Each structure stands twice: as C-alpha cells, then as structure tokens.
Amino acid sequence: MLTSLRRGIARLYWRISQWRLKTEPAPDRTGILIGAPHTSNWDFVLMLAIAWRLGIDVRWLGKHTLFTGWRGPIMRALGGIPVDRRDPSRVVDDIVDRVAAGETFHLVVTPEGTRSGNGWKSGFYRIAREADLPITLGYVDRTTMTTGLGPTMELTGEVTMDMDRIRAFYADKAGVRPELRTEPRLRSENN
C-alpha cells in the first residue's frame, strides 16, 4: 500500500515538475546511491521522487537533530538514519553491520556533505569497499533540467582510478545551484 502511494505521488510529481527524469535502470541489489552535485536542499525532494518512481527502498544519513521531536518519525519513515556528528566514527560500522545482517536498501550519500566546497567526504567509498557494495551515480543537472541515476559501478580499491571514473561522469553535471558545485575529489587524494 505504501509503495503504491509513493509511486503515485512520484508519478504526479514528474508530470507537474519542470525537471525531467532521465535515468538508467534502478540497481538490482543493495548498494550506495551517490547524490551529486549536492548544491541545494531541493536535492532531497528530487532524490525521493526518483526513488519512489523507480521503487527503490532508500536510506539516507542525516544529522541527529533532524530526528528529534515531531520530525523524528517522519524522517525515519522517509528512510532517514540519524548520525551524531559528535561521534561520526560509528557511521561506517553501523551501515556495514546493517548490510551484514541482511537488511536490503540503497544508501543515498551526498559526499559533498554540507556543500562547503572542501572536497568529497570518503565515507561512501569506505562503506562500499567494506560491505562490498556497488555505487550508483545519481545526479542533478540544472543546465539540462534532468535528474536520475547514471551507471552502477564496482569499486576497485584504486582510489584515484575509481574517482577518475566518477569525475568523468559528473564533469557535465551542474546541480541545482551550479555556483556551489565542487569537483568530485576525496580529501585524501590531495595528500
């Protein structure tokens, strides 16, 4: 019932939205969905519309304060997993434990984090490698008013090579606010 309601809402959204859904097929197994460029909070709405239209069960990480009070049940129902930023070290282990326990979902990660322009956070890469999960490249491109899912790839463990493939895909993707876009580069690549 909930799935058909979500799909109905998504169909309506895509009918009235100025954005076009241009996507490859949804991944067929648990994995990481990259949401990039992450330049606006509207990315969240687009992510839900994509996931609900394609029937993807998504989870996403959010700061723990989003899950307090009346917002908590709503955020969890939308797939949210609270993260206490005072102790972020448990995030990777928690996700790996969920996958090992057999939980099936697609974790949406916005590696640009808070859109600060300081490079991408490496958590998505560590989770994918430790849990042996593929990565699907989701995108938002204001220049073409398109959004959707790109290719799904397995990481090799060769960070620069993997990130070069990711950079090539996102090279022409601008985000909702193109002026806030950052180059897909892990902070560790700068060392």
Side-chain angles (χ1 to χ4, degrees), residues 24-173:
E24 293 192 18
D28 59 2
R29 71 177 182 112
T30 296
I32 308 287
L33 296 178
I34 299 295
H38 180 41
T39 62
S40 165
N41 288 331
W42 282 103
D43 299 345
F44 180 76
V45 174
L46 291 167
M47 179 270 300
L48 285 180
I50 293 165
W52 291 0
R53 180 67 180 101
L54 298 177
I56 301 171
D57 185 15
V58 294
R59 301 286 185 277
W60 50 273
L61 304 172
K63 58 184 171 184
H64 70 284
T65 56
L66 287 173
F67 296 83
T68 59
W70 62 270
R71 294 178 301 198
I74 296 169
M75 294 299 164
R76 283 181 180 81
L78 293 174
I81 299 171
V83 175
D84 188 342
R85 290 186 179 173
R86 296 171 295 195
D87 183 20
S89 61
R90 283 284 314 143
V91 174
V92 174
D93 291 338
D94 180 46
I95 299 303
V96 170
D97 290 347
R98 287 171 181 253
V99 171
E103 195 173 331
T104 304
F105 61 93
H106 294 86
L107 180 67
V108 177
V109 178
T110 55
E112 288 172 288
T114 59
R115 301 175 302 276
S116 62
N118 293 328
W120 280 23
K121 295 179 181 175
S122 62
F124 80 94
Y125 197 93
R126 290 183 296 134
I127 293 168
R129 290 290 295 159
E130 288 182 34
D132 192 28
L133 297 174
I135 291 180
T136 300
L137 305 178
Y139 72 95
V140 175
D141 185 16
R142 177 119 192 157
T143 59
T144 61
M145 293 303 290
T146 59
T147 186
L149 303 180
T152 297
M153 59 186 269
E154 300 286 338
L155 296 178
T156 66
E158 296 291 331
V159 177
T160 300
M161 184 173 71
D162 291 336
M163 289 304 297
D164 283 345
R165 291 171 56 202
I166 291 170
R167 277 189 281 278
F169 176 77
Y170 286 113
D172 64 347
K173 311 297 187 283

